[in-house]
Amino acid sequence: MTVGSYILNKENLKNSKVSKEKIHHSKTQFALFCLIVASSLGEIINIYGIKLSWIMAILTMALFIVENFSNRIIISTYDIKKYIYFFIFWFFYATLQMLFIFQNDYAISSYLTLVVNIFIVMMIALNIHSIEDLIFLNRGLILGLTINLFIAFWEITTGNHIISVSIENQLYNYDKPYGVFGNINDFATFICLGIVSLILNYALTKTNKIFTVITIIAAVFVLLEIDARAPIYGMVLYGVSLVLFYILVKLYKIGKSTFKIVSFMLLFISILASTIIFANYSLEELVLLLSTPANVNSDLLRIRLIEGAVKGFINSAFLGVGPGQSILLLGINVHNFYLEIMCEYGIFIFGGIIMIFIYFLRVYRWKLPNLLTVCIMSFTPAFFVIGISSSGANRIRATWIMISFLYIAISIYKKKQIKVR
C-alpha cells in the first residue's frame, strides 16, 4: 500500500511538473491578479488619493490593449460570450438611465462603481481561458482574504483599526474588526465570499488542505467576532446546502428519476411550509416573534425597505429608478443585493441576474467534480441570505469577482464535456 501510494504520488509529481511548465500567464493576467488583490484593499491603499484598485484597473486595461492590439480576442465559450453581452447591455442600460434621472452624487457614485465592477467582470471573462487561469486569479481573492484576516486579528488583539472609523461606528461597533472595509457588514460579506473562494480553490486543485481548513476556521472566528447575523446565517445555510446538494448530486448520478422525485418532494415541502407560515403570519408578526429586542427595529426597517424597493420598481414601470436612486427614494440603501438591482435597474437586469444564479443551481447536469458542483450550487441559497447584510453587496468588487469565477468554472467544464462528446 505504501509503495503504491509512493508511486502514485511520484507520478502526480511528474504530471504536476509538466503542467507547470506548460502554464504561462500573460502580463494582463498578472495585472488582473493584482487588481483582484487591490480590490480587497481599496479602502486604505491609495496613491495621491487614487485608489490602488483604480490604478491596477488602468494598468490591466492598458496591458490588455497592448497584448491584443493585433490579435483577435478569443472568448473561451459561448456561455461566457452571453455573460459578457449581458454586462455590456447592463452598462448601456445604466448609461441610458443616467440621461433621464436627476444627476446627484448618489447617481454618479453608483454609476462609476457599476462601470468599474463591469470592467473587472469583462477582464475576468476575457482573460480566463482554462481552469489553470481560474485557479491563478482565484488565489488573488484568497490573498486579499488572508491579508484582511491578519488585519482583523491585529484589530481584535490591539483594539485599534487601520481605517478611519465613523462616529456612529465608534459608538456601537468600535470593538469589532473592520479589515480594510469602512463597514463591518461589508467586511463580513467579503469574508463569506473569501470562504467560498477557499472551497473553490480546493475543489479545483485538491491541494493545500491544511491551509484551507486553517484559513476557513480563522475566517469563521472573525465572522463570529463581527457578529453580523445575515453572513453568519448565510454561511450556516451554505454548509447545510453543501451536504444536501452533495446527496442530491449523488442521487442524480445514480438515477435521474430518483433525483427528480426527491427534489420535487423537497420543493413541495418548502412551498407548503412557506404557504402555511405566511397564511398565518405577516412579515411584521414573524419579525416580532423571531427577532431579539436588540434587533427588532433593524429587522422592521428591512421590511419597510423591501416594501419601498418593490414599490419603486412597480412605479418605474418595472424599468428601474436608475443608479443610486433607491437611496433618494427610501432615504437609505435597500440593504438587499437582489432588490437593489431590481429597484434601480429594472426587470431586464434583475432577470439576467436571476438567470445567472439559476445557472449555478443547474450545474449538476454537467460532469463537474462533486465538490466543485456542490460548492457552486450552494452559493445561490447562501448568497440569498448573505446579500441582505451589507448596505450594498452589489458594489463590493469581490461579489462580482466570485460570481464570475463560478460562472466561468461551469462554462469551461461544459466546453470540455462537449468536446468529449
Side-chain angles (χ1 to χ4, degrees):
M1 182 67 71
T2 305
V3 174
S5 175
Y6 172 77
I7 293 172
L8 180 61
N9 290 335
K10 187 176 181 181
E11 186 63 30
N12 286 342
L13 184 62
K14 288 180 180 179
N15 293 336
S16 175
K17 288 180 178 179
V18 171
S19 62
K20 284 183 179 179
E21 290 175 1
K22 292 181 180 179
I23 296 172
H24 172 72
H25 298 296
S26 66
K27 293 183 178 67
T28 303
Q29 289 173 328
F30 277 104
L32 183 56
F33 177 92
C34 294
L35 171 58
I36 291 170
V37 177
S39 296
S40 307
L41 307 172
E43 296 287 347
I44 59 169
I45 301 180
N46 63 79
I47 300 175
Y48 296 107
I50 303 174
K51 288 185 178 181
L52 181 61
S53 59
W54 286 70
I55 295 172
M56 294 312 305
I58 294 170
L59 177 61
T60 301
M61 180 171 61
L63 288 172
F64 181 77
I65 292 172
V66 170
E67 291 187 332
N68 294 278
F69 184 75
S70 58
N71 300 323
R72 183 183 172 206
I73 296 175
I74 299 174
I75 300 176
S76 300
T77 71
Y78 177 69
D79 282 356
I80 294 177
K81 187 179 293 186
K82 290 192 296 183
Y83 188 70
I84 290 172
Y85 287 162
F86 167 71
F87 281 94
I88 291 175
F89 173 75
W90 191 351
F91 166 74
F92 283 109
Y93 189 81
T95 303
L96 182 64
Q97 285 181 307
M98 290 290 288
L99 300 176
F100 294 95
I101 63 175
F102 178 68
Q103 300 296 311
N104 54 68
D105 291 342
Y106 292 125
I108 294 170
S109 174
S110 296
Y111 179 74
L112 289 177
T113 299
L114 175 69
V115 170
V116 174
N117 285 339
I118 288 177
F119 170 77
I120 293 174
V121 167
M122 296 281 289
M123 285 294 99
I124 289 173
L126 290 171
N127 285 283
I128 294 181
H129 307 293
S130 65
I131 292 299
E132 289 75 20
D133 293 337
L134 175 58
I135 292 169
F136 173 68
L137 293 178
N138 183 50
R139 286 174 176 170
L141 197 56
I142 294 173
L143 178 57
L145 172 69
T146 306
I147 294 171
N148 271 282
L149 290 178
F150 274 113
I151 294 172
F153 276 101
W154 175 79
E155 290 176 296
I156 294 168
T157 304
T158 65
N160 298 317
H161 303 286
I162 287 181
I163 61 161
S164 174
V165 179
S166 67
I167 296 176
E168 181 181 357
N169 284 325
Q170 287 179 16
L171 293 174
Y172 299 105
N173 298 309
Y174 192 79
D175 60 332
K176 299 182 185 299
Y178 285 79
V180 298
F181 294 82
N183 181 288
I184 57 172
N185 289 326
D186 289 353
F187 186 30
T189 301
F190 173 77
I191 289 175
C192 293
L193 296 168
I195 292 173
V196 177
S197 178
L198 286 163
I199 297 173
L200 175 64
N201 180 72
Y202 182 74
L204 291 170
T205 65
K206 291 296 190 295
T207 60
N208 302 314
K209 181 187 291 186
I210 295 176
F211 169 80
T212 300
V213 172
I214 291 174
T215 309
I216 288 176
I217 292 172
V220 170
F221 174 80
V222 173
L223 198 59
L224 293 173
E225 285 290 313
I226 296 172
D227 194 27
R229 290 175 298 152
I232 292 173
Y233 297 156
M235 291 316 296
V236 170
L237 180 58
Y238 187 79
V240 172
S241 298
L242 284 174
V243 176
L244 177 62
F245 286 137
Y246 183 82
I247 295 171
L248 288 175
V249 169
K250 283 289 187 181
L251 289 175
Y252 182 78
K253 292 181 177 180
I254 294 172
K256 293 183 181 180
S257 58
T258 306
F259 169 82
K260 290 179 180 178
I261 292 171
V262 174
S263 299
F264 177 79
M265 288 177 60
L266 289 172
L267 181 62
F268 176 77
I269 292 170
S270 300
I271 294 174
L272 180 62
S274 300
T275 302
I276 294 173
I277 290 172
F278 287 108
N280 292 278
Y281 300 96
S282 66
L283 282 175
E284 289 82 0
E285 289 172 334
L286 285 173
V287 166
L288 293 173
L289 182 65
L290 300 175
S291 187
T292 62
N295 296 315
V296 66
N297 290 331
S298 174
D299 292 337
L300 289 173
L301 174 62
R302 299 294 174 101
I303 293 176
R304 290 195 291 271
L305 291 175
I306 291 172
E307 293 171 346
V310 172
K311 185 177 179 180
F313 170 65
I314 295 172
N315 290 342
S316 67
F318 308 104
L319 298 176
V321 297
Q325 299 308 287
S326 63
I327 299 177
L328 289 181
L329 182 68
L330 304 172
I332 189 175
N333 193 284
V334 181
H335 283 74
N336 189 304
F337 173 82
Y338 301 95
L339 291 183
E340 183 176 349
I341 291 174
M342 183 185 74
C343 180
E344 295 192 349
Y345 299 104
I347 189 66
F348 300 114
I349 305 303
F350 178 69
I353 295 298
I354 294 301
M355 291 302 295
I356 289 172
F357 280 91
I358 291 175
Y359 185 75
F360 294 164
L361 282 176
R362 302 183 69 188
V363 65
Y364 63 85
R365 299 176 303 156
W366 300 92
K367 295 180 180 179
L368 278 68
N370 286 342
L371 181 57
L372 179 59
T373 300
V374 297
C375 168
I376 295 172
M377 291 179 71
S378 301
F379 185 76
T380 293
F383 197 71
F384 183 80
V385 178
I386 295 168
I388 67 173
S389 174
S390 171
S391 59
N394 64 341
R395 77 169 185 273
I396 298 174
R397 311 223 192 283
T399 299
W400 299 107
I401 291 169
M402 179 49 58
I403 289 173
S404 298
F405 285 165
L406 298 180
Y407 189 97
I408 291 170
I410 299 172
S411 64
I412 290 176
Y413 272 96
K414 280 181 64 177
K415 183 179 179 180
K416 287 182 178 181
Q417 294 297 318
I418 293 170
K419 280 186 175 181
V420 170
R421 291 177 184 177

